[in-house]
Amino acid sequence: MKVFDKTFTKYGLEAYPYYYGDDSFGRIIVKISPSDDPYENTVFRIIFKVEHCSVHITEIPLIGYEDKGYGSVAMRALIKHSINKGYIGITGLLSSQDKDHISRLISFYEKNSFDIKINPKRDSGYIQLDLTNPSELLRKLTERITLLENKLEEQKQKEKSLQATIESLEHNIANESKFVKFLKKYF
């Protein structure tokens, strides 16, 4: 088991990606808190096999934490792991079993720099990521992470401003009550 650096989703949620595997098969597992247990605190998994110096994604099981940014955390960890191992690409299939959420999958893979080929029925396809120019790919990922970090910081500032407004209103309401009591007492 190898742990990657703590990271955050686009929503500011803490995430801890791990790699479990050997030279033939592996799993990238994202947890919401650190743990050596492969099942404890797990929110996302990518299961893959290594074939001919490439990674082939075999399964991304849905476990109830979709649309929270954990998938992108897992994919970034898989890409970094694959680059560090010297693999030349990442491939996978979009199964016809995925046809009810194919547009969501296309969006997911596109934002993670994959090339996508969809069949004419638009119910299945093939994904591929070329890792032969890792510096360019890592630059794109770093730009995306920076953009997400900036959006997260903006969101935190908005929340801080909103909290200050709420506190001010609560203070005004409390003081208004004292003023109304004063008026009632003397008028």
Side-chain angles (χ1 to χ4, degrees):
M1 171 182 72
K2 176 185 174 189
V3 63
F4 296 96
D5 293 332
K6 171 180 139 181
T7 188
F8 294 90
T9 70
K10 65 182 177 183
Y11 302 110
L13 303 169
E14 286 186 7
Y16 299 83
Y18 288 78
Y19 164 74
Y20 295 88
D22 55 34
D23 290 337
S24 300
F25 295 94
R27 292 177 288 164
I28 297 292
I29 297 176
V30 177
K31 299 170 172 285
I32 54 175
S33 62
S35 169
D36 291 337
D37 183 330
Y39 302 103
E40 186 178 47
N41 306 320
T42 297
V43 293
F44 204 89
R45 286 190 300 257
I46 298 176
I47 302 167
F48 62 91
K49 61 183 175 177
V50 178
E51 301 176 323
H52 312 292
C53 296
S54 288
V55 169
H56 181 77
I57 298 170
T58 58
E59 186 179 6
I60 300 178
L62 300 178
I63 56 177
Y65 291 90
E66 293 75 37
D67 298 325
K68 296 189 181 353
Y70 295 118
S72 291
V73 167
M75 191 57 71
R76 287 191 305 265
L78 177 61
I79 291 168
K80 288 177 184 176
H81 169 75
S82 299
I83 288 170
N84 288 338
K85 292 294 257 178
Y87 300 140
I88 59 172
I90 300 175
T91 62
L93 298 175
L94 299 175
S95 167
S96 58
Q97 294 173 345
D98 299 323
K99 65 184 174 187
D100 59 332
H101 58 275
I102 198 87
S103 60
R104 192 178 75 177
L105 288 171
I106 291 169
S107 174
F108 171 73
Y109 286 114
E110 282 178 342
K111 72 181 174 186
N112 286 291
S113 302
F114 279 78
D115 293 322
I116 304 160
K117 297 196 181 356
I118 301 293
N119 75 356
K121 291 182 184 178
R122 297 195 54 81
D123 66 352
S124 62
Y126 181 78
I127 59 157
Q128 181 176 354
L129 180 62
D130 182 0
L131 299 177
T132 58
N133 188 357
S135 59
E136 177 64 19
L137 184 58
L138 290 174
R139 183 190 63 76
K140 285 181 185 178
L141 287 173
T142 302
E143 284 176 1
R144 179 160 170 68
I145 290 169
T146 301
L147 177 66
L148 292 173
E149 286 173 343
N150 290 341
K151 285 183 179 180
L152 180 60
E153 188 58 37
E154 287 175 17
Q155 183 65 29
K156 285 181 181 178
Q157 291 300 325
K158 286 179 184 176
E159 288 175 6
K160 191 175 182 180
S161 174
L162 183 59
Q163 185 62 37
T165 302
I166 291 170
E167 289 172 3
S168 174
L169 289 171
E170 288 173 343
H171 176 74
N172 290 344
I173 289 170
N175 286 337
E176 183 176 325
S177 297
K178 290 177 186 175
F179 181 70
V180 170
K181 288 178 187 176
F182 173 79
L183 288 175
K184 285 181 181 178
K185 185 176 182 179
Y186 293 104
F187 294 102

